[in-house]
Amino acid sequence: MWVCCGGVLRVLLLVQAAWWVSVGQVRYSVSEEAKVGTVVGRVAQDLGLEAGDAEARRLRLVAQGRRASVEVSGASGELVVSSRLDREELCGKSAPCALRLEVLVERPLRVFHVELEVTDINDNAPVFPVARKNLSIVEFNTLPGSRFPLEGASDADVGSNAQLSYTLSPSEHFSLDVQKSNERNTVPDLVLTKALDRETVPVHRLVVTASDGGRPSLTGTMELVISVLDANDNAPQFNQSVYKVQLPENAAEGTLVTRVNATDPDEGSNSEVTYTATNFIPPSGRDVIAVNPKTGEIRLTGALDFEDVSFFDFRIEARDNGWPSLSGHCSVELEVLDVNDNAPEVRVTSLSVPVSEDASVGTVVALLSVWDGDSGANGRVRCWVRPSSPFGLVSRLSGSYSLVVREALDRERVSEYEVEVLAEDGGSPSLSGRRGVRVSVSDVNDNAPSFSQAVYTVLTRENNAAGAELGRVWARDPDEAGNGRVRYSLSEAVVGGWRSASSYVSVDAESGRVWAVQALDYEEVQVLEFEVRAVDAGEPPLSGNATVQVFVVDENDNAPSLLPPAGGGAGVEAGGGAGGESWSVEGSSGAVPSLWAWTSWGSPAGQVVAKVRAVDADSGYNAWLRYELWEPRGKVPFRVGLYSGEVRTTRALEEADGPRQRLVIVVRDHGEPPRSVTATLSVSLVEGVEAAAAVAAGSSGPRASSVAEEVSLFSSPSSRNVWLVVAICAVSSLLVLAVVLYVASRWSARAGVVSGPGPTTLVCASEVGSWSYSQRQSRSLCVAEGAGKSDLMVFSPNFPPPPGAAAKETQPEPPALLDTVSGPPCPGTRPDFRSRPLLLLFALLTRPMFLGWS
């Protein structure tokens, strides 16, 4: 039967152990005073860890509340005794003595609760308060059966090891009677069994032995010295045998506990009573409780602590002053009431930082334990974190919490959190504790470099030095370390349809500075647009782009160049003379070109004699030309249009002006500093018919003279009039035809010029003004208000460069590269087909007639 019961008991113990493991808690038991190294239990095995996992997963022990004298062996995973285990030191009189331990396992992080019960052994012998006690008993007045309370012994052990029994050495006059004063203590009373006779035995010496219930039993002794006295035969008597008092543990020193009172029916000194406190259980009560020997008032002499001692039991002896003195006794039971005087304690048992900013919700950051020394509602604790996000608390077991990630983290917004864990108990008023936890967030490459602006606009002058800094781009990456380290590179964009951007500029990989690889030429490229790429050093790398537009600002690095007339020559168009007379121009090349023009005597004021044409490869004000008559100075019959280049008469020409006028004309641009070209114009004054013949011949120098000689054959008045009538009729017919052709071809002529093989630019100067043309552009730019003049000249970029001017390589460019000049279109502009086509046509048609007449 006993074998069957033992088997059932073992099964129940195994089931209980399995249940504890399933809920994450294991119980062990060890005897106090166990040797260091004693194996308490196989923690790793009981927690389900495989052999060798204990050390690999860093199995370790964390004690809660009290000092633990055990540790976990990292190699074997066994719970062993590491230092002396003294149950009385750990738990005092509390039973059972249970230590709460936490076993942590990492990789992954888990926590298990281990409860270690330290069992008592009989290692403390009973101890009496005094080794020797003196008693005085009056002879004969003390009747048999009189009782004399003795101070009982105390045993630091608990349970059966603390259950005391008392024996008295053999005596015919005395015996011991053990009384149970309360459910906690038993005290012996000395009973007089036979009347005393002082003359026979004046002093009785007895030994009281206290034995505990341990195996083997331990004993303690106290010697009784009983003196037999005479006289005083009434002992003091208390009004009650037991005084029960309750005090809160925060009662101040000097607080009145209670007041005892004993009376003695004797008279005189035999009735004068003195009070004494004795037999304190636990003995520490002597330090906090005292009785007034005269009044019987019991007051606190120290601070109470419910967590240390919750109950005091002691006796009050009232002794009279008779001879021999007699005494009476009562018991005082003081119950200490708990108050909320212990704030919760928050401890961090494990901390896993830094936390990656891409950590998932629910990731455990720290393990916390919360402990409050109070009991009941005062010891019930609730916890929370501040701020409430992005972390939160998860309760695992009573007093144990996990700090976990509740929301997505962003290191660029917050790189470190100061998390405060607060704990508050249920007392009134409640007490709180707090613990700060610093949680740093580690970076991941989740941000691409971002430029401060999407488009960078840079202005630079042409002809800048190679290696000059044009500007700087900057991209910000809020990541840290390599994830935020940015390098710059240049995208291989094509500029002008044939050259890459890297042939013009370069970008410093570290600083983002943009350098010029070569000198920029406005006449070659006006806008350089490319992309800069910023790449971080993360894994995988992220990148961002920005567009850089470099606008090349024109400088006045090109001097004006004279253009040949439509029919050849060196930059002058001949004008018609008065009375329908016409003449031709001779041009010469060189540093100062020589130009020729003819006009007739009698030409009225304002007559156009010639028109000087020039072009400047620059743009804007650098290409805005002005014409000035440099020589001769003073009063001359000619003037030059400031912006048109037209040479006009200032008055009617006379024979006194001579047969030839030499004019030096300077053409300047408006650049800083201005550049210029000089032309010499020779104007010959001839008869009107000679001038027309010279124009028709389209020759220069000596050829003009021969034509003049041929025309002179028809100088007679009669033939001259006939031919003049014929010429007027022919000219009138041709004029009508020319007008019709002009109206039909007005727009087609302009479109043909603009849409030629190369782009052209029209620049409207001012209301005074002139038109100058660039061989690089294909849009009209108006630089002054007011209606433009009607003289229009358009030149194709396919023309050869002017004499003396260095030809530049030009490449076709995107039509929308420099649409940056704003302004109204030039009003009132139209092609200039006024005089030159009619005069040329007239000269060509009439020349055969003059020649045939000869």
Side-chain angles (χ1 to χ4, degrees):
M1 178 178 178
W2 287 106
V3 174
C4 180
C5 292
V8 172
L9 181 60
R10 282 193 297 270
V11 171
L12 292 176
L13 290 177
L14 289 175
V15 171
Q16 183 180 13
W19 181 82
W20 281 111
V21 170
S22 66
V23 298
Q25 183 166 343
V26 181
R27 289 181 64 103
Y28 295 107
S29 177
V30 63
S31 298
E32 64 172 330
E33 303 298 339
K35 293 182 179 181
V36 174
T38 301
V39 176
V40 178
R42 300 181 183 277
V43 176
Q45 180 179 346
D46 294 340
L47 296 180
L49 299 179
E50 298 293 335
D53 283 358
E55 186 173 7
R57 296 180 61 181
R58 296 182 61 188
L59 183 69
R60 57 192 178 94
L61 184 68
V62 178
Q64 286 192 350
R66 298 166 176 158
R67 178 183 63 85
S69 298
V70 293
E71 63 181 13
V72 175
S73 173
S76 63
E78 296 175 337
L79 183 66
V80 297
V81 177
S82 61
S83 61
R84 178 175 175 264
L85 278 171
D86 188 354
R87 193 206 64 80
E88 289 73 34
E89 180 182 349
L90 293 174
C91 302
K93 295 292 288 184
S94 299
C97 180
L99 302 180
R100 292 180 61 193
L101 309 174
E102 281 188 350
V103 176
L104 298 182
V105 179
E106 298 185 1
R107 308 186 189 121
L109 183 63
R110 293 187 61 188
V111 62
F112 300 91
H113 288 270
V114 175
E115 186 172 289
L116 178 61
E117 180 180 1
V118 181
T119 59
D120 184 53
I121 65 172
N122 193 23
D123 59 341
N124 292 280
V127 178
F128 285 91
V130 294
R132 185 176 186 178
K133 183 174 179 63
N134 295 318
L135 293 176
S136 297
I137 301 176
V138 179
E139 62 175 338
F140 301 114
N141 289 339
T142 304
L143 300 177
S146 298
R147 307 174 74 89
F148 301 93
L150 301 178
E151 291 181 281
S154 62
D155 195 325
D157 296 324
V158 295
S160 61
N161 295 329
Q163 293 179 0
L164 304 180
S165 60
Y166 298 89
T167 59
L168 184 66
S169 60
S171 174
E172 62 176 337
H173 293 91
F174 298 94
S175 65
L176 280 180
D177 185 15
V178 178
Q179 299 290 327
K180 191 168 186 178
S181 62
N182 52 52
E183 64 274 23
R184 296 176 181 83
N185 301 313
T186 57
V187 295
D189 286 346
L190 185 64
V191 180
L192 181 63
T193 59
K194 183 180 179 180
L196 299 177
D197 185 1
R198 190 190 63 82
E199 288 72 23
T200 303
V201 182
V203 176
H204 296 266
R205 295 183 181 275
L206 304 174
V207 176
V208 178
T209 301
S211 301
D212 58 24
R215 292 177 182 272
S217 176
L218 301 179
T219 61
T221 61
M222 178 180 64
E223 183 183 10
L224 293 179
V225 179
I226 304 171
S227 300
V228 181
L229 305 176
D230 291 332
N232 190 17
D233 58 348
N234 288 291
Q237 296 292 326
F238 286 92
N239 56 0
Q240 60 187 79
S241 59
V242 179
Y243 292 82
K244 295 184 177 181
V245 184
Q246 292 181 333
L247 280 181
E249 62 174 324
N250 62 348
E253 184 178 340
T255 300
L256 177 65
V257 177
T258 187
R259 181 173 181 172
V260 298
N261 182 39
T263 59
D264 193 325
D266 294 328
E267 293 181 354
S269 62
N270 292 332
S271 64
E272 294 177 359
V273 178
T274 300
Y275 301 95
T276 305
T278 63
N279 201 24
F280 281 92
I281 299 176
S284 60
R286 297 179 185 275
D287 301 328
V288 296
I289 300 172
V291 62
N292 189 309
K294 297 297 183 183
T295 63
E297 292 181 348
I298 303 174
R299 293 185 180 272
L300 296 179
T301 59
L304 301 177
D305 188 355
F306 174 85
E307 289 70 38
D308 186 17
V309 180
S310 61
F311 191 88
F312 291 95
D313 186 6
F314 57 95
R315 285 193 171 190
I316 301 296
E317 179 185 71
R319 183 173 293 278
D320 60 24
N321 292 328
W323 185 260
S325 63
L326 300 178
S327 63
H329 302 81
C330 72
S331 295
V332 178
E333 297 177 359
L334 174 59
E335 182 181 0
V336 181
L337 303 179
D338 182 42
V339 297
N340 193 25
D341 60 342
N342 290 282
E345 296 181 18
V346 181
R347 301 188 181 110
V348 178
T349 57
S350 180
L351 182 63
S352 179
V353 292
V355 180
S356 177
E357 66 175 318
D358 62 350
S360 59
V361 174
T363 300
V364 177
V365 178
L367 296 179
L368 309 170
S369 62
V370 182
W371 181 79
D372 193 314
D374 295 321
S375 62
N378 296 332
R380 287 195 294 270
V381 180
R382 67 184 185 93
C383 295
W384 69 96
V385 294
R386 188 170 57 194
S388 57
S389 62
F391 300 101
L393 285 181
V394 175
S395 177
R396 297 181 290 113
L397 289 174
S398 177
S400 183
Y401 296 87
S402 297
L403 181 66
V404 300
V405 178
R406 285 281 178 81
E407 298 177 3
L409 303 178
D410 186 358
R411 190 205 65 83
E412 288 70 40
R413 186 171 59 88
V414 181
S415 61
E416 188 175 77
Y417 292 88
E418 289 290 343
V419 181
E420 193 173 35
V421 181
L422 295 96
E424 184 179 70
D425 58 28
S428 181
S430 61
L431 298 179
S432 62
R434 62 192 63 200
R435 179 65 182 268
V437 179
R438 178 172 294 178
V439 181
S440 56
V441 182
S442 61
D443 183 55
V444 297
N445 192 25
D446 57 345
N447 290 278
S450 175
F451 284 91
S452 58
Q453 55 193 82
V455 178
Y456 290 84
T457 301
V458 179
L459 296 179
T460 183
R461 291 188 175 275
E462 66 172 329
N463 302 320
N464 60 308
E469 182 177 344
L470 302 180
R472 182 177 181 180
V473 296
W474 181 75
R476 175 181 178 272
D477 193 324
D479 295 324
E480 66 177 357
N483 295 333
R485 188 167 59 250
V486 178
R487 293 181 64 86
Y488 304 91
S489 61
L490 183 68
S491 296
E492 287 298 325
V494 176
V495 178
W498 66 287
R499 295 186 67 177
S500 64
S502 60
S503 63
Y504 293 96
V505 294
S506 67
V507 178
D508 186 81
E510 298 295 336
S511 64
R513 288 184 171 89
V514 181
W515 310 92
V517 175
Q518 63 178 9
L520 299 177
D521 187 0
Y522 176 83
E523 286 70 40
E524 179 182 348
V525 58
Q526 290 79 41
V527 177
L528 187 62
E529 182 173 326
F530 54 90
E531 281 193 353
V532 176
R533 187 168 182 256
V535 182
D536 60 27
E539 185 61 38
L542 302 178
S543 63
N545 297 306
T547 300
V548 179
Q549 294 178 340
V550 178
F551 288 88
V552 183
V553 180
D554 181 50
E555 286 190 341
N556 193 25
D557 57 345
N558 291 282
S561 299
L562 295 174
L563 292 177
V572 176
E573 284 188 353
E581 297 175 337
S582 300
W583 39 271
S584 183
V585 180
E586 176 187 346
S588 63
S589 61
V592 182
S594 296
L595 312 176
W596 296 84
W598 291 265
T599 187
S600 59
W601 283 313
S603 297
Q607 176 68 42
V608 176
V609 175
K611 186 171 185 178
V612 180
R613 300 188 306 164
V615 69
D616 196 315
D618 295 321
S619 66
Y621 274 85
N622 296 329
W624 187 16
L625 304 181
R626 57 186 297 167
Y627 303 84
E628 299 177 3
L629 183 61
W630 189 253
E631 290 180 0
R633 303 283 185 175
K635 296 181 179 181
V636 293
F638 300 98
R639 63 179 176 85
V640 178
L642 182 61
Y643 296 105
S644 65
E646 294 177 342
V647 180
R648 295 176 181 269
T649 58
T650 60
R651 56 179 174 79
L653 299 178
E654 301 173 354
E655 292 186 2
D657 293 325
R660 177 176 295 182
Q661 293 284 337
R662 181 178 179 274
L663 306 178
V664 178
I665 299 173
V666 178
V667 183
R668 286 192 180 91
D669 58 27
H670 283 73
E672 282 295 333
R675 294 177 178 269
S676 63
V677 65
T678 304
T680 301
L681 175 64
S682 296
V683 181
S684 298
L685 303 180
V686 296
E687 292 293 336
V689 177
E690 297 176 355
V695 173
S699 60
S700 61
R703 178 62 181 162
S705 301
S706 63
V707 173
E709 292 176 359
E710 293 176 358
V711 175
S712 64
L713 298 176
F714 302 93
S715 303
S716 62
S718 59
S719 61
R720 186 181 306 169
N721 292 335
V722 173
W723 285 106
L724 181 60
V725 172
V726 174
I728 290 175
C729 294
V731 167
S732 299
S733 301
L734 294 175
L735 179 62
V736 173
L737 179 61
V739 170
V740 174
L741 293 176
Y742 166 72
V743 173
S745 62
R746 176 180 178 182
W747 295 109
S748 61
R750 179 177 181 181
V753 174
V754 175
S755 60
T760 60
T761 296
L762 170 64
V763 178
C764 177
S766 71
E767 67 277 0
V768 182
S770 71
W771 299 93
S772 64
Y773 305 90
S774 169
Q775 298 183 11
R776 305 289 178 181
Q777 306 299 322
S778 60
R779 281 167 299 280
S780 61
L781 307 177
C782 183
V783 299
E785 296 180 356
K789 292 180 65 64
S790 61
D791 48 346
L792 175 66
M793 294 180 291
V794 179
F795 302 96
S796 170
N798 297 326
F799 286 174
K808 296 185 179 180
E809 293 183 3
T810 59
Q811 296 296 332
E813 298 172 356
L817 189 61
L818 266 181
D819 289 334
T820 57
V821 180
S822 62
C826 301
T829 60
R830 59 184 178 85
D832 184 11
F833 296 104
R834 297 179 302 168
S835 59
R836 189 181 65 181
L838 299 180
L839 292 174
L840 292 176
L841 182 61
F842 174 78
L844 293 174
L845 294 176
T846 56
R847 182 181 179 186
M849 291 188 293
F850 285 108
L851 294 178
W853 190 22
S854 63

